[in-house]
Amino acid sequence: MTQLEENVRELREGAMKLSVTSDEVRKNALHAIASSLSDRKGEIKRENAIDIENARKNGISDSILHRLVFTDEKIASAIKGLEELALLPDPIGKVREKRELDPGFILEKRTFPIGVIAMIFEARPDALVQIAGLALRSGNAVVLKGGKEAQRSNAILTKIIKEATEPIVGAHWILGIESHEDVNTLLTLEDYIDLIIPRGSNKFVRFVMDNTRIPVIGHSDGICSVYVDKDADLDKALRIAVDSKIQYPAACNATETILVHKDVYETFLPRLSGEFIRHGVKVHADERACPLMKDSVPAVPEDWDTEYLALECAVKVVDSLDEAISHIAAHSSHHTDAIVSENKDAINRFFAEVDSADVFSNCSTRFADGFRFGLGAEVGISTSKIHARGPVGLDGLMTTKWLLSGNGEIVADYSGPDAKSFHHKELPNA
């Protein structure tokens, strides 16, 4: 058994112990992490500065660099996130269903932690804190593999979190790994790991799925769209389109394609063009949009399938709501898509027919986020239709058990010509 296998085996044992800790104990552990991050901020920033210097030497892209930098603001936000996570209700032991099969014969469906979760994610130190906090709050052990660009930041954060929580919940609930070889080994450990959540390129997510028997959830690309309908409030549409693109262009929920109905494009696009020029957004525009968008370049077919993760996007004029929905069906990554319209029928059709994890009306795609949804941050956004879809927060890190409490009942009593009948009476969950 390799050292990594031994460490993950120990994590399995730690997960069992963590899963039966009280709500209060896990809250105290979260507060301990928050306090340690504040006290040891200097250490974190020193290690992060080395990562940033090395990344710049290696010609890192602006989008990755933006995620890598762990500013005072991001540290403060991470600490606040942990404290708010502690305020959420205990996710363990929630009764999802409760039913009386026969008088005094009670069936319940309750939530329990999944067990050991492996997270492979981008070079974002703040993501490590969010993921660790969610795992702890939900009673799951976690293996963390962050982007290589953040290696020193990840190492110090994992060390701080482990040292802060060891007196409260023990040491064997969190494990950081660093190398690609470790990832390859991790994919073979189906006896110890219950779920893998990869975040990254489509190629990487597909590699994980193709090389493990462990269940995998996640998303690859974030090709998100905003559709401006013929019945849109154009002032509202302008604010939404701009925010969806420029508020944080490196995020997976930033909009990459803007679709505009033919009845409003001549009015809307010059205004959008002015805002995009002001914010330095490069536009790839179709043949109808291009003349109205100063400094834009002609769109090519590949633009509709591109996740720019930068101040860059594609713009297309469509003839109808049907065409907008069809375009999204053909090119969306099923992450987040939004409609801007004052027409309730159009909104309802968009909601029903757009097959994405998050479908919005009259708001920015950037709201696709576990913290903003009130989930206590997120480990990622899933485009899967099994288990969890959309931002995966505490609830997405839980599984369920059926618990049946009887008083000597046997199946023979409910079989044959004189069988007793189940009355399946639904009971309140509380």
Side-chain angles (χ1 to χ4, degrees):
M1 181 177 286
T2 66
Q3 186 59 55
L4 176 58
E5 289 176 283
E6 177 62 25
N7 290 342
V8 175
R9 186 192 65 77
E10 291 177 341
L11 217 61
R12 187 82 180 166
E13 296 173 0
M16 179 60 68
K17 294 176 181 177
L18 184 62
S19 71
V20 295
T21 55
S22 70
D23 187 37
E24 197 62 32
V25 164
R26 281 175 279 116
K27 285 181 178 179
N28 289 340
L30 287 171
H31 289 307
I33 297 172
S35 179
S36 290
L37 291 177
S38 179
D39 292 343
R40 300 174 69 174
K41 184 167 66 172
E43 294 176 59
I44 297 168
K45 293 186 71 175
R46 281 195 296 273
E47 296 301 300
N48 185 240
I50 295 171
D51 281 336
I52 293 167
E53 181 181 357
N54 291 336
R56 282 179 170 148
K57 287 179 181 177
N58 292 327
I60 192 173
S61 69
D62 289 342
S63 62
I64 296 177
L65 182 63
H66 190 74
R67 295 181 181 197
L68 174 60
V69 177
F70 205 20
T71 61
D72 285 338
E73 183 181 1
K74 287 184 180 179
I75 294 172
S77 178
I79 292 169
K80 183 181 178 183
L82 292 169
E83 292 169 343
E84 292 183 352
L85 195 55
L87 297 175
L88 294 176
D90 187 359
I92 301 176
K94 284 185 176 180
V95 179
R96 295 269 182 87
E97 297 182 44
K98 189 172 184 179
R99 184 174 303 114
E100 186 178 69
L101 306 187
D102 213 5
F105 196 16
I106 308 299
L107 177 68
E108 291 184 333
K109 186 179 186 180
R110 291 190 204 166
T111 57
F112 290 88
I114 288 173
V116 179
I117 298 168
M119 277 292 314
I120 309 171
F121 56 100
E122 66 274 42
R124 273 186 58 194
D126 56 325
L128 186 147
V129 178
Q130 290 179 8
I131 293 163
L134 283 166
L136 177 59
R137 188 74 182 96
S138 60
N140 289 289
V142 64
V143 184
L144 298 167
K145 168 63 175 78
K148 64 182 180 180
E149 297 86 357
Q151 183 172 324
R152 295 182 70 105
S153 304
N154 293 337
I156 189 62
L157 287 169
T158 303
K159 183 173 186 286
I160 289 170
I161 291 169
K162 194 169 188 176
E163 290 175 355
T165 58
E166 185 170 359
I168 305 170
V169 296
H172 300 306
W173 73 274
I174 184 170
L175 173 67
I177 62 173
E178 296 180 354
S179 71
H180 287 298
E181 291 74 21
D182 284 345
V183 171
N184 291 334
T185 301
L186 202 68
L187 300 181
T188 69
L189 301 181
E190 64 266 20
D191 290 340
Y192 303 119
I193 296 173
D194 298 290
L195 179 68
I196 298 178
I197 306 177
R199 299 182 0 176
S201 69
N202 184 47
K203 181 179 178 182
F204 173 69
V205 174
R206 177 50 56 190
F207 170 82
V208 172
M209 291 178 174
D210 289 345
N211 288 276
T212 188
R213 291 186 291 183
I214 302 167
V216 177
I217 64 172
H219 79 276
S220 49
D221 298 328
I223 301 175
C224 305
S225 300
V226 169
Y227 165 57
V228 180
D229 186 46
K230 66 183 179 65
D231 295 315
D233 176 325
L234 296 187
D235 290 336
K236 190 183 294 182
L238 187 64
R239 295 181 69 245
I240 290 167
V242 171
D243 184 85
S244 295
K245 180 67 262 181
I246 68 101
Q247 198 274 331
Y248 186 9
C252 61
N253 57 15
T255 286
E256 306 294 14
T257 301
I258 297 173
L259 306 171
V260 184
H261 194 281
K262 66 179 179 63
D263 289 359
V264 297
Y265 85 98
E266 291 179 326
T267 302
F268 180 71
L269 289 182
R271 296 179 64 190
L272 181 65
S273 178
E275 286 298 305
F276 275 179
I277 289 171
R278 187 163 70 87
H279 291 286
V281 178
K282 179 180 179 180
V283 174
H284 302 256
D286 79 344
E287 58 185 12
R288 285 189 283 185
C290 210
L292 299 174
M293 303 201 75
K294 186 179 178 182
D295 299 331
S296 63
V297 297
V300 296
E302 292 76 17
D303 288 321
W304 315 123
D305 300 303
T306 298
E307 183 182 24
Y308 296 103
L309 297 174
L311 289 172
E312 194 168 358
C313 78
V315 176
K316 179 182 179 70
V317 178
V318 294
D319 290 332
S320 64
L321 172 60
D322 286 333
E323 186 181 347
I325 292 172
S326 294
H327 177 95
I328 291 169
H331 302 284
S332 169
S333 59
H334 308 291
H335 188 299
T336 302
D337 296 287
I339 180 175
V340 184
S341 181
E342 301 302 307
N343 185 317
K344 290 294 184 185
D345 290 337
I347 291 171
N348 288 335
R349 275 200 60 204
F350 196 85
F351 278 0
E353 297 180 32
V354 171
D355 185 23
S356 295
D358 306 297
V359 186
F360 299 165
S361 72
N362 295 317
C363 61
S364 170
T365 59
R366 289 280 293 121
F367 281 106
D369 175 83
F371 174 75
R372 297 184 182 109
F373 278 16
L375 306 181
E378 67 183 41
V379 295
I381 292 182
S382 171
T383 54
S384 168
K385 295 186 182 182
I386 305 296
H387 175 67
R389 197 178 192 198
V392 181
L394 289 178
D395 187 65
L397 298 182
M398 309 306 294
T399 187
T400 57
K401 296 179 186 177
W402 288 104
L403 308 176
L404 184 59
S405 301
N407 189 34
E409 288 84 357
I410 60 174
V411 169
D413 292 339
Y414 296 87
S415 305
D418 299 318
K420 297 174 65 176
S421 297
F422 297 109
H423 69 191
H424 292 145
K425 179 183 178 183
E426 300 298 321
L427 302 175
N429 291 349

